[in-house]
Amino acid sequence: MQPAAETLRRTPLYDRHEAAGARLVPFAGWEMPVQYEGIREEHLTVRSTAGLFDVSHMGEIEASGPGAEDFLQRVLSNDVSRLAVGGAQYSVLCAEDGGVLDDLFTYRLDEARYLTVTNASNHEKDLAWFRRHAEGFDVSVRDAQVDYAMLALQGPDARGLLPVDAPPRMRIASAEIAGVECLVAGTGYTGEDGVELLVPSDGALAVWDALDATPVGLGARDTLRLEVCFHLYGNDLSEDRNPIEAGLGWCCKLDTGFVGADALRDVQPSEKLVPFVFTGPGIPRQGNAVEPAGVVTSGSLSPCLGVGIGMAYVPADTAEPGTPIEVDVRGKPRSAEVREKPLYTKES
Amino acid sequence: MADESYPEGLLYHAEHDWARIEGDEAVFGITWFAQDALGEVVFFDPPEVGATVAKDGTYAEVESVKAVSDVFSPLSGEIVAVNEALADSPEKINDDPYGDGWLVKVRLSEASETEALMDAAAYKELLASS
């Protein structure tokens, strides 16, 4: 159940969204812009030029101290020892049974200082998990969510719109924008080049205004990530699924001894998460059944491809690209085909 | 998208559908309010010609990129035509919800049902109060 409107949190950019005519919706306890001009148009803007997202609802946790690396190596699935100062790394947070608690980016800001960005809906859970596992490590775990607003400037023109030189992909650096000291990261979740900005909350308005880019809502963020088959927690990832069946084995370094690694060691997934494309009319939606077996976890119309696309858990023997499947869209069987990732590339 | 409007001469259903009576037939569509709430329409899933529809029942679906919405039948009858142009251009529902964005044509089976529908003024009142 969504909390009542008066209990929803607002980002520092709320007034900007309202003034820009955004459609604001409850999202993970926040009142967030889902679209401004229209999802499809905003999606295509990001693919062709650049768009600016307010993703301040996302959470931040700072881990610092001499034991920070060892601690993060224990809770995060990727090999944190390979994360250089100024680097970024994607990983999952697993429960002991291997179920996925969250997927997150971690930035190494300093020798012994890391910033992890959590999904809004998982922030409190992640924070409690971090604190619980910090015991025995020489590390300080701090909820940094109130410190930061987060903006994402994504698209082929994104770097050109920045008044500063942006770090390369998967790197993070400090930079001053509009007089505000920001962290600028060469990361994003749209499949486009671009940056994410971690901005002190009281400087968010100045940075947003200085970037002067087309605002894009969370609706387009979802279709953009789906076209390139990035996972969305709550749809494609959950505590009931492990990262191996989700296709995230690449960021699970089992020999680092992270929580959940033992449970994942011998996993032979009976189901796999696969992307698919409709070969006829219709739009798949989360929860649609796949025939002969499986379930759609994400589905939408692809603004770039012009057809229904999605991701689904299907039996491993129907997971090969090229396999025809059928999706039951509210009682109507729709033809589809399993495809390779990503569903969209610049050449599509 | 079209500007907000609720033309006179149409009959309105509380689920934000309209009917234009043409003798013993009626053209159905969704109102400006409905298409605006949905956002850009990207798919219309029409019923079969020959299917029967019942007043207040659902007979089709209209989809935006992110949402699916049932379309309610304001009156009972048999589908005699669907707007084939929407297969290639579903955005007509946004651009011209009372004209090119019509959905289906129905041969009415219960003419008296029209009495339960609203005129433009009553529908606007409903919108204002909700």
Side-chain angles (χ1 to χ4, degrees), chain A residues 19-288:
Chain A
R23 183 166 295 176
L24 292 145
V25 298
F27 183 85
W30 293 75
E31 198 170 1
M32 298 299 292
V34 67
Q35 66 171 67
Y36 300 81
E37 293 303 315
I39 291 173
R40 195 156 57 156
E41 191 177 328
E42 290 162 34
H43 179 114
L44 297 173
T45 296
V46 173
R47 288 273 182 256
S48 61
T49 54
L52 182 61
F53 302 81
D54 177 9
V55 287
S56 302
H57 59 310
M58 299 194 74
E60 293 83 16
I61 302 174
E62 193 180 287
S64 57
E69 180 183 311
D70 288 344
F71 161 70
L72 291 174
Q73 192 76 310
R74 178 78 181 130
V75 287
L76 300 177
S77 69
N78 214 329
D79 186 354
V80 179
S81 73
R82 296 175 63 90
L83 185 54
V85 172
Q89 193 179 60
Y90 178 79
S91 63
V92 289
L93 192 68
C94 285
E96 282 91 352
D97 67 358
V100 180
L101 297 169
D102 203 0
D103 66 326
L104 11 73
F105 268 92
T106 297
Y107 303 96
R108 189 171 185 182
L109 302 181
D110 215 330
E111 202 57 45
R113 187 168 160 246
Y114 299 80
L115 194 67
T116 295
V117 176
T118 64
N119 277 298
S121 55
N122 292 333
H123 182 65
E124 297 303 323
K125 177 180 77 173
D126 293 0
L127 190 61
W129 187 260
F130 270 45
R131 286 186 169 141
R132 180 179 143 196
H133 288 275
E135 216 167 289
F137 291 96
D138 189 3
V139 63
S140 163
V141 171
R142 192 174 69 83
D143 181 3
Q145 187 172 39
V146 292
D147 298 357
Y148 295 105
M150 192 167 170
L151 315 184
L153 183 61
Q154 300 278 299
D157 296 348
R159 287 171 187 271
L161 287 171
L162 276 180
V164 294
D165 282 337
R169 287 196 67 73
M170 299 303 281
R171 300 284 301 170
I172 189 166
S174 295
E176 196 179 289
I177 300 174
V180 180
E181 192 68 16
C182 306
L183 291 167
V184 183
T187 51
Y189 220 60
T190 61
E192 294 297 325
D193 192 15
V195 295
E196 292 178 302
L197 304 163
L198 287 144
V199 184
S201 296
D202 58 4
L205 276 174
V207 174
W208 178 270
D209 291 345
L211 294 175
D212 193 28
T214 306
V216 177
L218 297 185
R221 185 172 167 85
D222 186 45
T223 53
L224 287 158
R225 69 93 199 166
L226 181 57
E227 281 185 341
V228 290
C229 305
F230 291 161
H231 300 69
L232 176 63
Y233 195 89
N235 283 43
D236 317 303
L237 298 173
S238 72
E239 293 181 29
D240 300 327
R241 296 286 182 180
N242 68 61
I244 309 299
E245 58 191 343
L248 292 174
W250 64 270
C251 71
C252 295
K253 307 294 195 254
L254 299 180
D255 55 359
T256 61
F258 68 87
V259 176
D262 287 343
L264 298 175
R265 211 168 295 283
D266 299 314
V267 167
Q268 293 292 329
S270 58
E271 288 196 331
K272 288 182 178 173
L273 185 66
V274 295
F276 65 85
V277 167
F278 271 15
T279 51
I283 302 172
R285 303 289 180 186
Q286 183 184 24
N288 289 163

Side-chain angles (χ1 to χ4, degrees), chain A residues 283-343:
Chain A
I283 302 172
R285 303 289 180 186
Q286 183 184 24
N288 289 163
V290 177
E291 303 296 339
V295 62
V296 173
T297 53
S298 287
S300 184
L301 178 92
S302 161
C304 287
L305 305 176
V307 293
I309 62 168
M311 292 207 276
Y313 281 101
V314 298
D317 61 0
T318 55
E320 273 303 302
T323 306
I325 56 172
E326 224 168 54
V327 177
D328 181 342
V329 182
R330 297 177 299 282
K332 290 191 178 174
R334 303 289 191 184
S335 301
E337 188 181 287
V338 176
R339 290 282 173 86
E340 301 264 10
K341 294 178 191 176
L343 295 171

